[in-house]
Amino acid sequence: METATIKKLFKKIQDKNLRLAIIGSGYVGLPTAALFARTGFTVTTTDINSFIIKSINSGTSPFNEPGLQELVSRNVQSGKLRAVLNCDLKFEEEDAAIISIQTPIDENKKPNLSFLLHAIENVGKNLRKQMLIVICSTLPPRTMQEVIRPKLESLSALKADKDFYLAYVPERIAPGKALREFVESPRLIGGIGPNSTEIAAELFGTVCHKTIKTDATTAEIAKTAENTFRDVNIALANQLALICEQHGADVTKVIELANTHPRVNIHTPGPGVGGPCLTKDPYLLTRGTKLPNKDVIAAARETNDYMPRHVVKLIQNALEHECKSIKNSRIAILGTAYKANVEDSRYSPAEPIIKKLKDLGAKIISYDPHCQSTFGAKRATSLHEAAKSADCLVVITDHVEFKNLDLADIKQLMRENPVIVDGKRIINSHEAEKSGLAYYGVGFGKSRNTTQI
Ligand code: SAJ
């Protein structure tokens, strides 16, 4: 591709005349669409879900994300943002497409790229010269070079990095902070070739404070490495929690002390690792790789997946210690969201915990001020309602609302010999015991809740 053509594209980006299509209007796609619209681009965002399309076109964000509602409403009103069904987008006017479609894993933990490839097919059939295609979905290594590039080239009979541009720009935003992190986190730009990298960097540089240029494969591995690092680190914290319980030590104190070393930063243990990212990215990263020795990444996944079962054991032990049987006991679950202060409950550890407790015959009531999911539990609309006549209170999510509970008040509402099982270690154990609640927690070792694994 000649420099003159690239210069023309650069100018279009700088003048905000590039017309953008965002494919997939979910937790990543819609913030992307809204931020590019705010920057001055004319954006068409798409989805297969007509509810999402209607909601956006009426100026309403279909899900809660701080700041997003206002951004969607303002940009739909000004005409900078509109939504259409995927099948209605013909790419007649669009110069660039940014694809943010989910790449989940299947029941055998194998990456399922079918949703993404379906979208790629539609883009490939409509691809014109000089268009820029950006993939933001999380990908296993080499997917850009070995799957997406050949598919787009064969469908369009055009050459990547010459006739059209193709780049991998992985998303790095956490729900709850999506807009800020989109703008402030350095953005990796992995082009399929040098032209693609430059053009994608120019486009994302209009919204992101910092872009870092690399190649597509390096960006694919870096993206999955980030969440794998976090998952392995949390697994270490969870394993330390199990060790502390067996030795009668408190993991919170242990980690706090270990982290005073200038080169140590151990994460926080908990009732399990949820959300759509950490639970799958390690599998994407290791897909198709043969290792000569033990797979640390797989072991970490197993450790984190074990934690909900461990919480159930803690609850059983706690109740037994109070001479109560889990069968017919009333258990209040605080938090069904997968992490603090979000409404999202995808892969939340609350799900296996509630299901197992129900199987064991317990009566479960759940309360979450941010999230609607109950995973089959009865839903309480207040903390008061959840705690009333409960035998056991279980903290699964560290929502801000659960951090300063009135423990004396809660004790009054609960049945005799009440217990609290703190999956996130946000309750002060001394305060709880002082209020008359027997305190148990993940990684909180005391001889009576030491569990055998
Ligand atoms: N968790 C712990 N201990 C910790 C931190 C988290 O048990 O110390 C648990 C949380 O409770 C939650 C899970 O891990 O169940 C995941 O939480 P998270 O805070 O890692 O957040 P995600 O999954 O919402 O977002 C991650 C982020 N990745 C990194 O910080 C490396 C985000 O920046 C990515 O954009 C996102 O994955 C993604 O989409 O890939």
Side-chain angles (χ1 to χ4, degrees):
M1 179 68 62
E2 286 131 44
T3 336
T5 324
I6 294 176
K7 274 195 182 146
K8 237 163 88 184
L9 259 174
F10 267 51
K11 175 100 175 66
K12 256 185 158 175
I13 293 171
Q14 284 150 8
D15 295 345
K16 315 287 182 310
N17 284 332
L18 194 90
R19 293 183 73 100
L20 271 177
I22 311 293
I23 318 289
S25 302
Y27 287 91
V28 175
L30 189 54
T32 309
L35 284 167
F36 275 104
R38 181 180 75 177
T39 308
F41 291 95
T42 303
V43 179
T44 304
T45 193
T46 79
D47 207 278
I48 50 167
N49 182 330
S50 56
F51 164 78
I52 290 180
I53 300 305
K54 276 191 203 130
S55 170
I56 298 170
N57 284 333
S58 70
T60 311
S61 168
F63 53 88
N64 284 329
E65 177 61 44
L68 188 60
Q69 176 52 56
E70 200 258 321
L71 218 52
V72 168
S73 145
R74 191 150 41 89
N75 285 291
V76 167
Q77 234 167 42
S78 71
K80 283 285 170 199
L81 178 65
R82 69 175 184 128
V84 300
L85 283 169
N86 277 3
C87 54
D88 292 338
L89 184 73
K90 299 290 175 248
F91 293 98
E92 277 150 3
E93 294 179 333
E94 283 70 23
D95 307 292
I98 298 178
I99 305 178
S100 288
I101 301 271
Q102 73 273 32
T103 48
I105 46 170
D106 64 19
E107 59 280 6
N108 301 313
K109 315 288 187 199
K110 296 262 181 305
N112 171 4
L113 301 182
S114 63
F115 305 104
L116 175 65
L117 294 181
H118 187 71
I120 293 285
E121 197 139 314
N122 189 32
V123 172
K125 282 185 202 148
N126 293 289
L127 198 59
R128 298 187 317 273
K129 275 196 167 186
Q130 289 170 47
M131 272 179 82
L132 167 68
I133 309 301
V134 174
I135 314 294
C136 296
S137 318
T138 306
L139 301 175
R142 301 292 298 165
T143 306
M144 288 296 289
Q145 285 290 3
E146 289 170 14
V147 182
I148 293 175
R149 174 189 196 147
K151 201 166 173 77
L152 285 174
E153 287 184 335
S154 75
L155 284 165
S156 66
L158 296 172
K159 197 104 193 76
D161 210 49
K162 186 170 174 288
D163 303 321
F164 72 98
Y165 306 103
L166 177 62
Y168 182 52
V169 181
E171 64 86 8
R172 300 173 108 185
I173 52 178
K177 307 180 213 163
L179 297 178
R180 182 160 55 83
E181 291 202 348
F182 193 105
V183 174
E184 290 176 5
S185 296
R187 200 70 194 244
L188 308 184
I189 313 284
I192 210 86
N195 293 331
S196 302
T197 306
E198 290 304 324
I199 293 163
E202 190 68 18
L203 177 62
F204 277 79
T206 61
V207 176
C208 307
H209 288 173
K210 188 173 177 191
T211 56
I212 304 172
K213 296 174 197 169
T214 181
D215 61 86
T217 305
T218 307
E220 285 167 339
I221 300 175
K223 160 69 198 181
T224 44
E226 292 166 8
N227 284 339
T228 301
F229 162 78
R230 207 162 160 75
D231 198 48
V232 172
N233 193 329
I234 298 166
L236 170 65
N238 283 332
Q239 196 163 337
L240 287 172
L242 302 179
I243 291 170
C244 285
E245 282 179 31
Q246 289 180 35
H247 292 301
D250 180 354
V251 75
T252 306
K253 194 74 202 163
V254 167
I255 292 177
E256 187 188 312
L257 294 180
N259 283 352
T260 60
H261 187 288
R263 287 181 294 282
V264 175
N265 174 24
I266 305 170
H267 289 3
T268 315
V273 166
C277 310
L278 272 63
T279 50
K280 92 177 152 84
D281 289 6
Y283 296 113
L284 264 56
L285 172 60
T286 51
R287 190 217 52 167
T289 317
K290 286 192 183 63
L291 297 169
N293 37 35
K294 279 232 177 332
D295 184 345
V296 176
I297 297 171
R301 277 279 72 241
E302 273 175 39
T303 301
N304 291 337
D305 278 348
Y306 164 73
M307 292 313 288
R309 297 203 296 282
H310 182 68
V311 170
V312 172
K313 282 186 189 177
L314 281 179
I315 297 168
Q316 266 176 309
N317 286 355
L319 287 169
E320 266 167 32
H321 195 267
E322 301 304 325
C323 303
K324 294 185 183 186
S325 152
I326 196 148
K327 196 166 159 55
N328 292 325
S329 63
R330 197 176 143 96
I331 299 177
I333 299 287
L334 300 191
T336 51
Y338 83 84
K339 69 171 184 178
N341 313 322
V342 299
E343 65 171 16
D344 194 337
S345 64
R346 287 175 290 170
Y347 308 101
S348 170
E351 182 168 13
I353 291 170
I354 290 174
K355 288 195 169 142
K356 184 70 193 164
L357 290 172
K358 283 187 78 178
D359 285 349
L360 292 169
K363 296 191 169 56
I364 315 295
I365 184 156
S366 72
Y367 172 60
D368 192 312
H370 296 261
C371 173
Q372 298 289 322
S373 305
T374 63
F375 302 118
K378 185 168 178 272
R379 181 156 190 265
T381 52
S382 67
L383 182 66
H384 186 282
E385 187 189 344
K388 198 159 187 294
S389 305
D391 295 291
C392 176
L393 211 65
V394 185
V395 179
I396 301 296
T397 316
D398 47 344
H399 288 317
V400 66
E401 293 85 350
F402 300 152
K403 286 199 169 159
N404 289 304
L405 300 179
D406 185 337
L407 297 168
D409 193 36
I410 284 174
K411 151 84 172 72
Q412 293 309 318
L413 292 165
M414 292 176 73
R415 283 188 182 152
E416 239 185 300
N417 302 332
V419 299
I420 185 155
V421 175
D422 186 357
K424 290 301 273 190
R425 306 300 310 283
I426 54 170
I427 308 290
N428 183 310
S429 59
H430 301 294
E431 295 287 321
E433 297 272 356
K434 226 168 63 195
S435 307
L437 288 151
Y439 179 89
Y440 298 78
V442 168
F444 186 70
K446 50 180 182 177
S447 51
R448 66 180 186 192
N449 80 339
T450 301
T451 46
Q452 296 302 315
I453 49 167

